[in-house]
Each structure stands twice: as C-alpha cells, then as structure tokens.
Amino acid sequence: MPETPESTPQPALFTWEFAADPYPAYAWLREHSPVHRTTLPSGVEAWLVTRYADARQALADSRLSKNPAHHSEQAHRSGRVGIPGERQADLMTHLLNIDPPDHTRLRRLVSKAFTPRRVAEFEPRVQQLTDRLIDGFAGRGSADLIHEFAFPLPIYAICDLLGVPPEDQDDFRDWAGMMIRHHGGQRGGVGRAVKRMRSYLAELIHRKRADLGDDLISGLIRASDHGEHLTENEAAAMAFILLFAGFETTVNLIGNGVYALLRNPGQLALLQESIGRGEQELLATGVEELLRYDGPVELATWRFATRPLSIGGVEIPAGDPVLVVLAAADRDPARFAEENTLDLARKDNPHLGFGHGIHYCIGAPLARLEGQRALATLLTRLPDLRLAADPAELRWRGGLIMRGLRELPVSFTARQG
C-alpha cells in the first residue's frame, strides 16, 4: 500500500545527502511543520521558519533581535551561534549582531559605499578582475570555477573597496579560504584566520589614519573623527563583516548560478543568445532567478526572541533562536509558480535571497554587479562551458548559513586571449 502524504516520515535534516539537495526536506517542512523546532548539528535548539509569508514576517519583526545576548542559553559564549571565531577575536559589534539604534547608525555610515553611483563606478574594476581571472585558465581548457574564479573575484573586489593594499590582498585570500573551508580544514584554523584578520585590520586602521584615501575604511575613520562615535573596534568589526558577508555570498551566487545553468541547458542557451545580442534584461532577471532558485544563503543569520511571539500560529518562547530558511521560502508554491523550475525570465520574483527588512543585505548592489559580470563574461569567452564531473560526485560545503559548492570542475575549448 503506498504511503499517503500524511504518513510520509520527516526527512533527515543536516546530513550530507540533505546538503546536496535540501529542497525535498524543505517542501516537507513547509507542508507539515512550517515553523519547526529542531536540534542543530551544534547541539543548539532552534526554530526553522520555512513558508514565504512567515519568513517575511520574521525577517522584519523587531521582537526578533540580532544580538546573541538575548539567547536564553549560553551557547553564544562557546561560539555555537554566530560566525565562527568572531567572539574570540572581539569582532562581535557588527551589523549582523546588533539592533537599532546602533544598527541604524553603523548601517548609515557604510551604506554610502554601496549607492548605485558608487557601485556603477566600480564596474570597470570588477570587469578587469573578471577578465584577469579567466585569462588565468582560458588557455587550459579546464578549471575549478570555485577556487579559480568564484572565490578570488569577490575577495579582490571587496579588498579594493575596503582599501586593502594590493600587496596584502593575497593574505586576505588565504584567511578567507580558511574561513569557508573550516568544516574540512585544520582544527582551529578558522579561529586563527579570524584573529589574524582582526590584527591586520587594527593595524590597517592605524596606518590609514595617517594617509586617508577614498576607500571604505578611510570613510569609517573620517566618520569617527567627525563625531559619529565609531570606535576602533566597531570599525574593525565592520570591515570584518563586510569582507566575510561580502565575499562568501558572491562566491556562492556565482558558483551555484553557473551550476544551475549547466544543469538547465535550455535556459543557458537562452541567456547566451541574449548576451550575444547585447541585451541586459535577461541577464538581470536571470541573476534574480538564480538567487531564488538556489541562492547563496540557505538560512538567514541568527535571530533571538526578545519576548514570546507567534509565527505561523506557533508560539515561540522568549530567548529561543529563530532561523529563517530563505531557501525554503523562495521555493514556496504559495508565492512562486512552478517553484522548482529555473525560469530566467521570471518577472514576479520578490525573492528573499538578500533578506528583507532593516537587515537586507547592504552589499546586494555589488553582489548583483559581480554576478552579472561574472556570468556574462564566462558565457561570452567560454561559450561551450560544460560540467566536467558527475553531479552526484560534487560536494557542498558543510555549515548552517551559507550554501555553496566545494568545487565546480568545468571544461571548454581552450582559448588564448
């Protein structure tokens, strides 16, 4: 006798099989337990919010604090919530961990670096970096697009934006690599990488005070010197989170996006034809659809109930952690028609890939620019790009918040210049 939907058992969460394709499990949760209490791999108990309407409500609810001090347990003291290594390196006072009014003040300072005008001015540099990285492997006929392209592109871009001198940027690349490989790397490596980055940022802030430029760190120093009350620790934490959030999100946007296109050859062909005609519309809507379909951030960063509240009819006690599952919300059939279909021309697409509310990703304009330039240049310069591995053999990075491939082997006709 076949199982009825009511008797279908809950799929396992947080296994390697789940990491490869979490969407069936999220569909089950949306249907049967849309606000679901679970024990995370770290041992912390938290609520998962999986329906689109509930997710939007939770992301904008002021009763859900970003400050881990509101956690009813002491797990945040041992580093089991938040970004690995940030507490030990004294880097907690950044946008992902604070609420208004401090959040409002710090976000206002940083938002000046991500205006449409500033991002547009940065486009030639992003294109230069994109071409330089492709030059490095185009003549070989094969590449790992994560390590040779999707990873270094946003690292170098955000370093330029922050004002990290070119001679120091490879150090940042090494530290960032340790941070995103922390589930498969040397024990304690992520903590050491974060501490090294913290020491470097403190030193860089001191150096820049004597030689201010037009970069973001110089802008933070100027604001501090003109009465905005930005402490050195806040400046270092701000630079840290812009680097951390600004590079891994884009690594995954490019990697997941290219992978999705290679798995959907009809959509890939449509995009290549549109780019070949010099059009921009399908590229723009296509990046938004890739953010919805298999976005770079699987779960929004930690929130904590400051008092009892109800989400989707479920009562959440004060002090409990709440994790909004963006990947589940963005495939909710109650909001998106043909939710499991990649449709690059999708117009009605208010996805949550960059969040919602006051914590909406401040670097979204730069991530969009990098995603569009990366895809357009890859598909133009390497038109016969193809996957060089069985999809079943690809591995996804472990971790709770981000969703990204460890590697993406591709092949193509070798080209010089």
Side-chain angles (χ1 to χ4, degrees):
M1 179 177 176
E3 288 185 330
T4 63
E6 290 74 20
S7 66
T8 303
Q10 177 188 326
L13 304 177
F14 312 120
T15 64
W16 287 111
E17 292 78 13
F18 169 85
D21 183 11
Y23 296 103
Y26 288 149
W28 190 97
L29 289 177
R30 280 196 310 266
E31 180 67 23
H32 299 283
S33 185
V35 181
H36 181 76
R37 188 173 176 86
T38 190
T39 301
L40 304 173
S42 63
V44 175
E45 291 191 357
W47 296 90
L48 303 180
V49 179
T50 56
R51 287 180 179 170
Y52 182 87
D54 296 337
R56 274 182 64 94
Q57 174 205 328
L59 291 172
D61 196 323
S62 61
R63 295 171 297 179
L64 290 173
S65 170
K66 299 291 290 176
N67 188 342
H70 289 289
H71 193 184
S72 58
E73 302 177 17
Q74 297 301 310
H76 64 283
R77 296 191 184 279
S78 59
R80 288 190 288 156
V81 303
I83 297 170
E86 65 178 358
R87 177 172 293 279
Q88 293 89 333
D90 196 20
L91 286 170
M92 293 287 290
T93 53
H94 57 66
L95 290 174
L96 295 186
N97 284 342
I98 57 175
D99 303 316
D102 285 336
H103 175 270
T104 308
R105 173 176 61 91
L106 294 180
R107 188 178 176 101
R108 184 177 66 249
L109 293 177
V110 180
S111 63
K112 299 168 186 175
F114 296 100
T115 63
R117 181 183 65 82
R118 288 293 298 270
V119 171
E121 290 173 351
F122 202 54
E123 182 171 0
R125 177 57 176 158
V126 171
Q127 186 63 60
Q128 180 186 41
L129 289 169
T130 302
D131 282 318
R132 187 184 83 192
L133 291 169
I134 294 175
D135 287 343
F137 56 77
R140 201 169 68 228
S142 66
D144 174 357
L145 281 188
I146 299 299
H147 293 287
E148 296 182 76
F149 185 65
F151 174 69
L153 174 59
I155 280 287
Y156 292 135
I158 201 71
C159 280
D160 281 354
L161 196 68
L162 287 171
V164 177
E167 62 270 21
D168 295 341
Q169 293 186 5
D170 284 339
D171 288 335
F172 265 77
R173 179 174 174 168
D174 292 343
W175 297 328
M178 283 188 257
M179 290 168 67
I180 71 168
R181 290 192 300 270
H182 64 86
H183 283 268
Q186 187 179 9
R187 184 175 179 84
V190 63
R192 287 192 295 274
V194 172
K195 286 182 178 178
R196 288 172 188 162
M197 194 177 294
R198 170 68 174 88
S199 297
Y200 175 84
L201 288 170
E203 178 192 343
L204 184 60
I205 289 168
H206 282 300
R207 281 162 41 195
K208 283 189 175 292
R209 282 193 182 277
D211 186 19
L212 293 175
D214 192 35
D215 53 81
L216 182 50
I217 290 179
S218 294
L220 294 175
I221 293 169
R222 285 193 185 91
S224 179
D225 291 345
H226 286 82
E228 287 282 1
H229 308 298
L230 187 73
T231 68
E232 180 180 292
N233 203 53
E234 286 175 330
M238 184 68 70
F240 165 74
I241 198 58
L242 289 172
L243 179 77
F244 180 83
F247 88 85
E248 191 169 2
T249 301
T250 309
V251 173
N252 296 344
L253 167 57
I254 296 170
N256 297 3
V258 172
Y259 180 62
L261 290 171
L262 295 177
R263 299 293 304 280
N264 289 268
Q267 291 292 296
L268 173 61
L270 287 175
L271 182 57
Q272 285 183 306
E273 292 166 7
S274 175
I275 292 170
R277 293 192 295 268
E279 299 167 352
Q280 294 297 314
E281 183 178 3
L282 190 63
L283 180 62
T285 60
V287 166
E288 301 308 309
E289 174 68 347
L290 293 169
L291 285 160
R292 181 201 72 83
Y293 179 77
D294 198 10
V297 183
E298 191 165 340
L299 283 74
T301 49
W302 296 81
R303 285 166 167 77
F304 306 91
T306 58
R307 56 183 184 271
L309 72 152
S310 176
I311 302 176
V314 176
E315 297 302 315
I316 309 293
D320 275 14
V322 174
L323 291 166
V324 178
V325 188
L326 306 180
D330 279 344
R331 291 211 190 183
D332 187 343
R335 182 58 190 86
F336 299 99
E338 298 184 47
E339 72 280 4
N340 293 318
T341 298
L342 181 68
D343 177 8
L344 299 182
R346 191 184 294 267
K347 294 291 198 301
D348 181 20
N349 193 3
H351 64 79
L352 301 177
F354 286 127
H356 173 67
I358 64 169
H359 290 282
Y360 182 85
C361 176
I362 198 168
L366 180 60
R368 286 187 168 103
L369 168 64
E370 291 173 343
Q372 289 182 22
R373 289 299 88 219
L375 290 177
T377 310
L378 270 177
L379 299 182
T380 299
R381 295 189 55 181
L382 308 175
D384 61 345
L385 191 70
R386 53 195 178 272
L387 194 61
D390 182 339
E393 296 175 354
L394 295 180
R395 293 292 175 263
W396 297 78
R397 288 196 301 275
L400 192 64
I401 302 299
M402 298 292 186
R403 172 166 172 76
L405 287 161
R406 289 187 178 186
E407 64 280 318
L408 182 56
V410 296
S411 58
F412 44 85
T413 301
R415 288 171 169 80
Q416 299 294 336

